[in-house]
Amino acid sequence: PMADAEGYVTHANVNAVEQMVYIDSGSSDGSLEAARTAGAKVVELDPGLPFTAARARNAGFAALAAGGTPDFVQFVDGDCRVEADWLRAGRAHLQADEGLGVVTGWRSEIFPDASVYNSLFQADWHRPAGPITTCGGDMMVRSQVFEQVGGFNPEVIAAEDDDFCLRVGKAGWRLERLPVQMTWHDAAMKRFAAWWRRSTRDGHGFAQVGQLHPEHFRRERLRAWLYGLVLPVVFLFGLAVWPWLALGVAVIYLLSFLRTATGYARRAPVKRRLLQQAALLTLSKLPNVVGMLTYHGRRRAGSDMRIIEYK
């Protein structure tokens, strides 16, 4: 049996699933009507509790289980659509290997040329096929595995998929990315402010998942602390006390930018935007630190881990 939770599949996939569930987190557009038209069961989350993708996915699985737990569940982010042949390919791979707990495929941007931000997403989505330790939110999961690890952690507001996958691996299951197109994503990101908030959310994920799994995101955290906090502080100190120190920091950032551009050139999906992409990747450490500090501030205060909206 197949099912779809959180997002919903296109009409081309309707015959490939036994159940579809759409989880709504307070939408104000036509999502509810579109999901019902596609034949999905609709579950509206209680707005009195903080919305998180993890909470939505758990609610989707619970709704499926109420009608009889399927063997496999395809989780789909709300801004994605599923490639027509993916469900059959993913299911066949899981059925052929009982040691696999999760399979995923390739995600692509629908409009990679629409903005420099969209092109960054495109480069990030296309990772090598084969054994993996983590993947994004679009994934096909063996229901037995989902129940064994307790589903997604609703307290994790970003990188909840990393946390889930790491717990799956620690439970003894394998994860794999297939060389198959799986989903199409619509970032629809055209403003710097939206990219900044998204990068802030990424930083929150680095810190929170890093707290739960210290071995994960270690490099990302170290680079964020260095380029997003330590060097900016040294730069400002240099401006006030010794300008040559500030110049030295500026040279470090320039070298980092050039190294990023050189390394990124091989996989940049939109070559004409290479310098812009490299600049954003270099700059991303600043909002990453903002997100990391936000997480640590919330944790110390005992506050709710509320999502950081960017759309």
Side-chain angles (χ1 to χ4, degrees), residues 236-256:
L236 293 175
F237 177 79
L239 286 179
V241 178
W242 190 32
W244 285 106
L245 182 59
L247 179 61
V249 172
V251 170
I252 291 175
Y253 276 110
L254 176 61
L255 292 175
S256 176

Side-chain angles (χ1 to χ4, degrees), residues 220-231:
E220 288 82 355
R221 296 196 305 274
L222 289 175
R223 288 178 63 84
W225 287 127
L226 175 62
Y227 288 95
L229 183 63
V230 175
L231 288 179

Side-chain angles (χ1 to χ4, degrees), residues 259-272:
R259 184 171 60 251
T260 299
T262 301
Y264 196 67
R266 293 189 294 271
R267 62 188 182 95
V270 184
K271 302 299 183 184
R272 62 186 174 83

Side-chain angles (χ1 to χ4, degrees), residues 73-75 102-104 135-141 152 161 164-165:
V73 177
Q74 174 69 39
F75 292 96
V102 174
V103 293
T104 188
C135 65
D138 298 346
M139 63 177 82
M140 190 179 293
V141 181
F152 291 87
D161 32 32
F164 174 78
C165 289

Side-chain angles (χ1 to χ4, degrees), residues 128-192:
I132 55 175
T133 56
T134 64
C135 65
D138 298 346
M139 63 177 82
M140 190 179 293
V141 181
R142 196 179 295 273
S143 292
Q144 173 190 351
V145 173
F146 186 93
E147 293 174 331
Q148 180 181 340
V149 302
F152 291 87
N153 184 345
E155 295 296 320
V156 180
I157 69 152
E160 70 289 331
D161 32 32
D162 286 76
D163 169 67
F164 174 78
C165 289
L166 290 168
R167 288 187 284 114
V168 168
K170 290 175 181 179
W173 295 91
R174 289 181 289 105
L175 301 86
E176 187 173 343
R177 178 179 291 110
L178 308 184
V180 178
Q181 184 67 34
M182 174 185 56
T183 52
W184 295 86
H185 178 261
D186 187 10
M189 186 174 288
K190 299 181 179 179
R191 296 182 299 109
F192 179 82

